[in-house]
Structures are given as structure tokens and as C-alpha cells.
Amino acid sequence: MRLLKTVTAAALGLLALQALAAGRDYIYVVGSSTVYPFTTTVAEHFGKATGFPTPKVESTGTGGGMKLFCAGVGVQHPDIEDASRRIKKSEFDRCQKNGVKDIVEVKIGYDGIVLAHSRRAPFKWDLTRRQIFLALAKQIPDPKQPGKLIPNPYQKWRQIDPSLPDIAIKVYGPPPTSGTRDAFVELAMEGGCKTFDWIKALKHEDKHRYKEICHGIREDGAYVEAGENDNLIVQKLEADPTTLGIFGYSFLDQNIDKIAGARVDGVEPTFENIAEGKYPVSRPLYIYVKKAHVGLIPGIPQFLDEYTSEKAWGDEGYLADKGLIPMPKEEREKYRKIARELIPLKSL
């Protein structure tokens, strides 16, 4: 047993030397555009406070990052994945298949999904999740024939509800590879979809059909995929104040001088409302760490120490200043232990 440990340690040491020889003496992070500013901020603090190089952080979207992260082990593959949703079973299985066996899941905090508009918009938006679903779903329940679906006929918001403005439905949002898109369809779209009792019943009768209806976004121009670049969406909203855009709360917070968030089910997307669980469209954020790269790439444990420190993710931490909603203290302690002890996910 002792011999095996010695051989393993020697092998890891050799891998570390190979990594340095290959030019990878820095941590490489990919993934969510929502988590990107948080990880970038931690990377900057880490680089200044330690003797390690500042990690390289790329915004690829959660889905795109998972493909890169799960492609294999070695210096050519990322060490850490930023994710604005939990890893899917299909992604976990792909990782396992490609030799990425020990994945450490660290929840870092919470975020809200907002429907934002220009501060120059001529009215204040106050939407229900049902109205959001009816505006953006590919198929909606036929108002004339209960239990049947029709292609979404609504072109203007007022057609959905007389209280809404008489303007064209146009919403800029992320592509299917985005964790923000996944969270939006699950929390906002599905939240509105299941207000129809017969569709809600489908969840137990025909799960595939239920998901197809509730998660299907229209493709006729009312929803415009704007890529992973949230700054581009801000520009679109400023150019046309009658449009809406989908963001993580943190991005709204960083651009509060230009854009505002719509109320959803009567609740404003504020830091306090998301932290207290009042805002209905909120989600957890994660980072995933490749345990096999610890010892191969220098500084991963120290980087995780910085990320999970109270000065970073605590109630008064520098990530809260960037818009991250901190977890309760007990949850922070749980994930700090997971990060420090590198406890891997066993299954999904």
C-alpha cells in the first residue's frame, strides 16, 4: 500500500513537471458568461496575493464549457468549469466516459434571471410567469379549445393581456448552450407553463411532452438569440427601448445606469429579494474542478481557498459587490469543506 502511494505521488510529480514543460503553469477556466465576472475577480485577487500566475478565464457558455471540460484529462484540457446551472447527467456521464472521473462540485452563491429593459423605456414592466410563457413559447394552449395546442399567434404584448403595452414582442436572450437560457426556461417558462392544469398533469403522464411544451421557445423572430455576449444585448436595449433582454442579475447590477429589471409576479429583481428567496426566477451558481489536475497544474487548492474565503464569497465579500448573492453561512461552510478536501461528486 505504501509503495502504491509512493508510486502515485511520483507519477503526480512527473505530471506536474510535464505540465510546466508543456507551458501550462497557470489555471485554465472555461464556462458560464454569468459566472465569468466572479471567477475573473477571484483570479485577479489570487494572482496579486500569491506567487502563482493569474488564471486564464474564458467565457464560453455553460454548455460549451462542459464540452471542453469533459473532453479529457491533461494540460490541453481546462481545469475548472464555471456553470450557471448544475451539471447535467449527460455531461457527467460524458466526463466519466472520457476519463474525467473525480469532479468536485462547489456551489458559489445565487443569481437571479432578469428580464431587463432600457432605462429610457416609456413604461415599467410588470410580468407574470404565465405572461412570459405565452409571449415566448413555441406552442401555447388554444384559448378556444382547452387541451389543444396551437403555434404561438401573439405578435404584441397587449394580445396576451390588455394591461400590457401595445408593442411588438421582442426579447433578446442567450442561445441553447447557455446556462442562463437553461435556467430561464426551467424557472420562468416552465413556471408559467404549469399554471395550465392540463399541461401540469402531463409532467407525470408524459414527461417528454411536458418538457417539449414548457421549454420550447418560439423561432419566428419574437425571441432573438444574441449569443453569449451580454454587452451586445445592452446595446440592443438602448437602441430600442421597447425591447427586453434576458440576463443574470449580476450583469443587471453592473449596468444599472443603463438598464432596469422588470418585476416578475409582482417582485422586483433586487439583491435582497433574491437572497431571501422572494424573487421567483433565481438559481444557484457553481464551479466544477477536475481533481486529476490538482498536482498537475500549480495553485488549484490555493485558488479554491481564495474563492471560498469569507473575503470573497461572504456576506460582505468582494463578490457580493459584483452582484453575487451569498449563500447562507451553513451552506458556505459545507462547500468550503468540499473544496478544501476535494470531495468529488459520486453520481447524479
Side-chain angles (χ1 to χ4, degrees), residues 48 82 192 201 260 266 282 290 302 316-317 340:
K48 288 175 184 174
D82 290 337
S282 58
K290 203 171 285 181
Q302 293 85 349
E316 306 295 329
R340 284 184 174 166

Coordinates of all heavy atoms in Angstrom, one line a residue, residues 48 82 192 201 260 266 282 290 302 316-317 340:
K48 N -2.6 38.5 -7.4 CA -1.9 39.5 -6.7 C -1.5 39.0 -5.3 O -0.4 39.5 -4.9 CB -2.9 40.7 -6.5 CG -3.2 41.5 -7.8 CD -4.2 42.6 -7.5 CE -4.5 43.3 -8.8 NZ -5.6 44.3 -8.6
D82 N -16.9 27.0 -15.0 CA -17.9 27.9 -14.5 C -19.3 27.4 -15.0 O -19.4 27.2 -16.2 CB -17.7 29.3 -14.9 CG -16.5 29.9 -14.3 OD1 -16.0 29.5 -13.2 OD2 -15.9 30.9 -14.8
G192 N -44.5 29.4 -15.8 CA -45.8 29.9 -16.4 C -46.6 28.8 -17.1 O -47.8 28.8 -17.0
A201 N -50.5 18.4 -15.5 CA -50.7 17.0 -15.3 C -49.8 16.1 -16.2 O -49.5 15.0 -15.9 CB -52.2 16.7 -15.6
A260 N -32.9 48.5 -16.4 CA -33.6 48.1 -15.2 C -34.3 46.8 -15.4 O -34.5 46.3 -16.5 CB -34.7 49.2 -14.9
G266 N -44.9 40.3 -9.6 CA -45.0 41.4 -8.6 C -43.8 41.7 -7.8 O -43.8 42.5 -6.9
S282 N -34.8 32.6 -9.7 CA -33.4 32.7 -9.2 C -32.8 31.3 -9.2 O -33.6 30.3 -9.3 CB -33.4 33.2 -7.8 OG -34.2 32.5 -6.9
K290 N -11.6 19.7 -11.8 CA -11.1 18.4 -12.2 C -10.0 18.0 -11.2 O -8.9 18.5 -11.2 CB -10.5 18.6 -13.6 CG -10.4 17.3 -14.4 CD -10.0 17.7 -15.9 CE -11.1 18.3 -16.6 NZ -10.7 18.6 -18.0
Q302 N -5.0 26.5 -3.7 CA -4.9 27.8 -3.2 C -5.9 28.7 -3.9 O -6.5 29.6 -3.3 CB -3.5 28.4 -3.5 CG -2.4 27.7 -2.7 CD -1.8 26.4 -3.4 OE1 -2.4 25.9 -4.3 NE2 -0.8 25.9 -2.8
E316 N -20.2 40.1 3.2 CA -19.5 41.4 2.9 C -18.4 41.3 2.0 O -17.5 42.1 1.9 CB -19.0 42.1 4.2 CG -20.1 42.2 5.3 CD -21.2 43.1 4.9 OE1 -21.0 44.1 4.2 OE2 -22.4 42.9 5.4
G317 N -18.3 40.1 1.2 CA -17.2 39.8 0.4 C -17.2 40.6 -0.9 O -18.1 41.3 -1.3
R340 N -12.0 22.3 0.0 CA -10.7 22.1 0.7 C -10.3 20.6 0.7 O -9.1 20.3 0.6 CB -10.7 22.6 2.2 CG -10.6 24.1 2.2 CD -10.6 24.6 3.6 NE -10.4 26.1 3.6 CZ -10.5 26.9 4.7 NH1 -10.9 26.3 5.8 NH2 -10.3 28.2 4.6

